Amino acid sequence: MKKVLEWLNIALEMVFKVLQLFSKIVLLAVVFIVCAQVVSRKFFHYSIIWSEEVALLLMVWTAFISMAIGVAKDMHIRIEMFYQMYPAPIQAICRWLGYIVALFVGCVLMVYGGKLIRFTLHSTLPTTKWPSFMLYLMSPVGGFYMVYCTILHMFFPSAARIFADADNEKEETKG
């Protein structure tokens, strides 16, 4: 059983790294599409009709993936100044409260994201005529990785450090 869990963890980490790379590529694509639309409209007096819809879809995807990345790197929204002023037991309670909120949000994204996908299976986006469910596709994926990373942070903190260590290694090799 332990071997299966180790392989599952390795597979989930690989998929997470792919999602990180994907989010970078998607963000670049959004910048390119929006710039192309602005240049096209300003200089050629022509509007790229699909640009707004595709940029919106990609921004929604980026938002859900970025939430999961933020949870993986333990970058919750909090006011560090006040957090540091609390005694250690209160800090621990606040940390666990943050984990519980992240778990709840991740579960909500998985459940309701899945429902949104089911409800929009048979409709299409107006301009591109792509299936509407594509807009919500990353919601359950982001929710799943929020839950996965939060559980790692809660119960396996040494395993959760992998997400932060990958960025630190890159910075150390640059410096």
Side-chain angles (χ1 to χ4, degrees):
M1 184 65 168
K2 187 176 179 182
K3 278 284 193 202
V4 171
L5 290 175
E6 286 176 9
W7 281 104
L8 179 64
N9 196 34
I10 290 169
L12 289 173
E13 287 172 18
M14 288 175 42
V15 171
F16 187 81
K17 288 179 183 182
V18 168
L19 284 174
Q20 283 183 305
L21 178 63
F22 179 72
S23 69
K24 293 173 187 175
I25 292 169
V26 165
L27 197 55
L28 284 173
V30 168
V31 170
F32 177 75
I33 290 168
V34 171
C35 287
Q37 169 65 3
V38 169
V39 168
S40 175
R41 189 176 50 226
K42 180 78 172 168
F43 296 110
F44 303 115
H45 306 291
Y46 173 77
S47 184
I48 304 170
I49 58 172
W50 53 265
S51 65
E52 183 179 345
E53 196 168 276
V54 172
L56 174 68
L57 178 122
L58 295 177
M59 285 303 295
V60 169
W61 283 10
T62 302
F64 288 117
I65 294 170
S66 297
M67 286 187 334
I69 292 170
V71 170
K73 295 179 185 227
D74 202 21
M75 297 170 51
H76 299 286
I77 296 174
R78 58 182 166 244
I79 302 172
E80 290 290 327
M81 182 178 78
F82 296 119
Y83 181 75
Q84 299 299 329
M85 296 170 80
Y86 296 140
I90 302 294
Q91 287 181 6
I93 291 170
C94 290
R95 189 177 328 107
W96 276 86
L97 193 59
Y99 291 149
I100 291 168
V101 169
L103 274 175
F104 176 75
V105 170
C107 289
V108 167
L109 286 174
M110 283 192 312
V111 170
Y112 288 100
K115 285 183 179 183
L116 275 171
I117 289 171
R118 277 195 310 275
F119 291 147
T120 57
L121 272 176
H122 303 294
S123 62
T124 59
L125 297 172
T127 307
T128 59
K129 302 300 182 206
W130 292 348
S132 293
F133 76 87
M134 288 182 65
L135 187 61
Y136 309 107
L137 200 56
M138 288 299 152
S139 176
V141 173
F144 170 79
Y145 273 97
M146 284 178 70
V147 169
Y148 168 69
C149 294
T150 301
I151 289 171
L152 282 182
H153 283 294
M154 291 172 81
F155 303 110
F156 309 101
S158 59
R161 288 192 188 102
I162 293 170
F163 299 114
D165 291 344
D167 288 341
N168 292 340
E169 288 174 12
K170 288 179 187 176
E171 290 175 10
E172 288 172 4
T173 57
K174 288 180 184 177

